[in-house]
Every structure is written in structure tokens, then in C-alpha cells.
């Protein structure tokens, strides 16, 4: 029996701006754009697991046939799974959940499963953060039927995380070490762009 919950906390901060200036130069119309963007994303994932794999009220054996429930819709699959079908019963999760909650004291966890829970929690717990800094400059010029556009965009990304490393030291999973793991990475990308267009007619543009 297992009940697991993943608590995810996320934060996303975004800011941006754009400046535009139109000007005339050498008989052509120009538009200059400059802008920037900042994004900060952080995600924290914490796992909680409640697991029991041993049922110990005396020597009783717990079997799933105690929690069978039939299908209420007798017309399901054209009646093939109706009240007269020998395979009409299925395990009802609600019945088992009620039994488990009323008999929690009789459920326990074995040492092997307890260690498995320890490793599952460690493996699913982490914090990650990404920060992106971006800026761009772009100029568009128009002279008669000709227009040209050129620009440059820069993106700088920083990533950092904290998690857990599972390190096996022998064949016994109980001896597996849980070690804190941290890492960072960063990179910068320069992205140029350019375009030339000729307006041959009102309905025809060549680029």
C-alpha cells in the first residue's frame, strides 16, 4: 500500500522592455528597435511517501477478493460485462482505501521497503533554477520599393540545481549512500538576422 505526494513549488518572474525610434537618413525611413528580457524560473520538488507492505493482524492473510465490486451499468459492452458475467467483479480502490484507513495499525513496512522509500524520496527531491538574460537591437530601413532589416540578439542562460546522488557501495541496497549533488552551467548565444525585400508590385514582394 502506498500513498505518495509530490509537492511542487514553482516561481516564474519575467520582465521585458522595448524602445522604438523612427528617423530619416539619406532619404530613407528608418526604425530602430532595442529591447531586453529577463526571466527567472525556480522549481522545487519535494516527495513524501507513505508505504506499508506487511499486514500483521495475527496470522491473517489479506487477499484482494475481499474488496471486489461489480459493475453497476449492466449494459456495459452490450451486456457482455453485465450482472450475469462471471468476470463482472473488479477490485474497488474505494473499498480497499476505507479498509486501510480503518486498520492502519495493522499495516507495517519491512526494512527493505523502508530503505526503498528512503532512496525514492532522495531521488525525487530536487531544486532547479534557470535565469535568462536577453537583449536585441534591430534596424529596419525603407527606400522606395526597397527595404532592409538587420538585427542581433544575445541570450545568456544560467542554470543551477541541487539534488541527491545515489551511490551504491556494494550489492546491498541498504548501504546505498545519499549524497548531496549540486551543479551549474551557463552559456551565451549570439543570434544575428537579416533580410532584404523588394516590392515589385502591390501584391508581389521578393525577399
Amino acid at each position: 500500500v502506498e500513498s505518495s505526494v509530490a509537492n511542487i513549488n514553482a516561481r516564474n518572474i519575467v520582465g521585458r522592455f522595448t524602445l522604438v525610434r523612427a528617423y530619416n537618413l539619406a532619404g530613407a525611413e528608418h526604425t530602430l528597435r532595442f529591447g531586453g528580457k529577463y526571466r527567472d524560473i525556480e522549481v522545487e520538488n519535494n516527495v513524501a511517501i507513505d508505504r506499508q507492505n506487511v499486514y500483521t493482524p495475527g496470522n491473517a492473510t489479506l487477499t484482494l477478493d475481499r474488496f471486489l465490486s461489480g459493475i453497476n451499468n449492466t449494459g456495459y459492452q452490450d451486456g457482455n460485462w453485465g450482472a450475469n458475467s462471471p468476470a463482472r467483479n473488479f477490485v474497488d480502490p474505494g473499498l480497499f482505501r476505507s479498509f486501510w484507513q480503518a486498520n492502519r495499525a495493522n499495516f507495517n513496512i519491512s526494512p527493505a521497503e523502508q530503505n526503498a522509500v528512503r532512496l525514492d524520496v532522495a531521488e525525487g527531491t530536487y531544486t532547479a533554477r534557470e535565469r535568462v538574460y536577453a537583449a536585441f537591437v534591430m534596424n529596419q530601413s525603407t527606400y522606395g520599393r526597397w527595404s532592409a532589416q538587420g538585427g542581433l540578439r544575445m541570450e545568456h542562460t544560467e542554470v543551477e540545481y541541487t539534488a541527491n546522488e545515489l551511490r551504491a557501495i556494494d550489492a546491498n541496497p541498504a548501504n546505498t549512500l545519499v549524497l548531496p549533488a549540486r551543479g551549474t552551467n551557463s552559456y551565451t548565444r549570439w543570434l544575428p538576422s537579416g533580410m532584404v525585400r523588394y516590392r515589385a508590385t502591390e501584391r508581389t514582394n521578393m525577399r
Side-chain angles (χ1 to χ4, degrees):
V1 182
E2 178 176 316
S3 174
S4 60
V5 177
N7 296 313
I8 302 176
N9 298 316
R11 182 188 51 139
N12 186 9
I13 299 175
V14 178
R16 59 170 60 90
F17 73 93
T18 301
L19 301 176
V20 181
R21 179 179 177 83
Y23 63 98
N24 293 318
L25 181 64
E29 298 179 353
H30 306 270
T31 302
L32 178 65
R33 291 180 173 85
F34 173 78
K37 178 180 178 180
Y38 171 74
R39 184 179 66 190
D40 187 348
I41 300 177
E42 185 172 11
V43 178
E44 181 180 1
N45 189 71
N46 295 305
V47 177
I49 299 177
D50 183 10
R51 181 185 300 169
Q52 291 85 32
N53 69 323
V54 180
Y55 181 65
T56 56
N59 294 320
T61 299
L62 184 63
T63 57
L64 292 179
D65 58 1
R66 298 177 55 176
F67 312 103
L68 298 180
S69 178
I71 296 178
N72 294 325
N73 183 5
T74 57
Y76 182 65
Q77 286 197 348
D78 297 327
N80 294 326
W81 290 80
N84 296 323
S85 172
R88 66 183 181 276
N89 293 322
F90 295 87
V91 175
D92 188 331
L95 292 178
F96 184 82
R97 189 180 302 111
S98 298
F99 177 84
W100 177 51
Q101 292 173 347
N103 297 273
R104 289 292 295 271
N106 294 328
F107 286 87
N108 298 283
I109 186 170
S110 66
E113 282 299 317
Q114 194 168 19
N115 180 68
V117 169
R118 174 181 73 94
L119 300 180
D120 288 345
V121 170
E123 190 175 33
T125 300
Y126 64 87
T127 299
R129 185 178 185 183
E130 180 187 66
R131 284 172 287 190
V132 178
Y133 307 84
F136 77 92
V137 59
M138 181 176 65
N139 190 79
Q140 182 176 1
S141 302
T142 301
Y143 185 81
R145 294 180 178 271
W146 291 93
S147 64
Q149 179 178 296
L152 180 64
R153 179 181 179 87
M154 182 279 295
E155 288 190 0
H156 177 73
T157 302
E158 297 177 355
V159 179
E160 60 185 58
Y161 67 88
T162 58
N164 295 299
E165 176 188 355
L166 306 185
R167 182 176 300 176
I169 59 176
D170 55 33
N172 186 357
N175 296 328
T176 299
L177 301 178
V178 177
L179 306 175
R182 296 178 176 84
T184 60
N185 187 25
S186 64
Y187 54 90
T188 302
R189 297 287 185 267
W190 296 91
L191 308 171
S193 65
M195 181 190 70
V196 176
R197 183 179 64 183
Y198 176 71
R199 183 165 58 89
T201 68
E202 292 296 331
R203 297 184 178 182
T204 304
N205 291 312
M206 295 183 293
R207 299 184 181 184

